[in-house]
Structures are given as structure tokens and as C-alpha cells.
Amino acid sequence: ERLNMATPVSVLRLPKGPDPNSRGFDPRSPRFIALCRTSIPASAASEADAEQLQKEQHARSVLRETFLRCLLSMTNKKVQFRMHENVKVEATFGASDIDVLNFQVSDLHTPIGVQKEALIRCQDVISFTFDV
């Protein structure tokens, strides 16, 4: 018998980009500074800092792409969500809204019953697992 070990996946939230198509982030914007702090202050603009900032932005884009691919691969699969207060629920993953603020799920099994269709707020999720 094959043993499948699920790996928890943390939820990563990034702010919307500066334009309607979310094509990047202005590191000098107040929203970026408040929500997406880098290890390098945006006000210090030396060449070394610019290179480090570029590396950090590349790492963030790789993480974002990986997370989006993870969401895509979860579609129509049973997903176990670990939530606050040590609550664990299971559901069939449907989709995420464009801002990744909510997950649409079906057949949500909770400690108090089953809900045919539901939205799970992402800020309530600590981690989730699913079998590939």
C-alpha cells in the first residue's frame, strides 16, 4: 500500500500591483512599503541595494508563480484546510477569487456538518494540504 504524506502549504498574500493588470509593484509606494516590506529600504537607492532589491523581487515572483500553480493543481481535488482554533475541515477545491481573498469549495466537511457550497476566507486559513 502506498503511503501519501501531505505537505502543508502556507498561504502567501501579496498586494495588488500599481496598475489594473497587476504587472508589478512600485517599491516606493506607501502600500508596497506597508504590506510588502523588503529587507532593503526603498529610499536608499545605491547600486548594491538596487541589485539586492531586484533579487528579492525575483524571489517574490517565483513564490507567487509557485503559489498560483499550486492553486491551479488543487482544482477539483479534496483539500484539507487547517484553520485558526485548531479547526480542520475538508472540501473539494473549486476556485479562488482574483485577489486570493476567498476560496470557493464544495462539500465542505466541518466539525458541525457538511455544507454543499461555501466560501472560505483566506485569512482564516493557516495551511492546506492535498494529494497530487
Side-chain angles (χ1 to χ4, degrees), residues 16-18 23-33 42 53 57:
K16 285 185 183 179
R23 290 190 181 134
F25 305 98
D26 179 5
R28 292 173 299 279
S29 73
R31 182 176 178 158
F32 181 91
I33 292 167
L53 182 61
Q57 286 180 334

Side-chain angles (χ1 to χ4, degrees), residues 52-70:
Q52 182 64 27
L53 182 61
Q54 185 178 10
K55 287 180 183 177
E56 190 167 322
Q57 286 180 334
H58 175 72
R60 287 176 179 272
S61 69
V62 169
L63 288 171
R64 177 73 173 171
E65 181 181 352
T66 303
F67 178 69
L68 293 174
R69 288 184 186 280
C70 177

Side-chain angles (χ1 to χ4, degrees), residues 24-127:
F25 305 98
D26 179 5
R28 292 173 299 279
S29 73
R31 182 176 178 158
F32 181 91
I33 292 167
L35 297 176
C36 216
R37 289 189 184 106
T38 65
S39 56
I40 300 165
S43 59
S46 72
E47 284 186 30
D49 289 344
E51 182 181 328
Q52 182 64 27
L53 182 61
Q54 185 178 10
K55 287 180 183 177
E56 190 167 322
Q57 286 180 334
H58 175 72
R60 287 176 179 272
S61 69
V62 169
L63 288 171
R64 177 73 173 171
E65 181 181 352
T66 303
F67 178 69
L68 293 174
R69 288 184 186 280
C70 177
L71 289 179
L72 185 61
S73 66
M74 286 178 10
T75 305
N76 296 321
K77 291 187 179 162
K78 286 284 186 194
V79 178
Q80 299 78 34
F81 294 94
R82 189 169 68 92
M83 305 175 87
H84 294 284
E85 301 297 325
N86 204 26
V87 174
K88 295 176 183 158
V89 298
E90 182 177 281
T92 302
F93 185 82
S96 168
D97 59 3
I98 195 163
D99 296 322
V100 193
L101 296 175
N102 300 293
F103 293 141
Q104 181 275 321
V105 297
S106 303
D107 300 320
L108 177 64
H109 294 265
T110 72
I112 60 171
V114 178
Q115 186 69 32
K116 185 70 181 153
E117 297 290 330
L119 286 178
I120 296 177
R121 297 183 321 168
C122 287
Q123 61 260 36
D124 295 336
V125 176
I126 296 172
S127 66

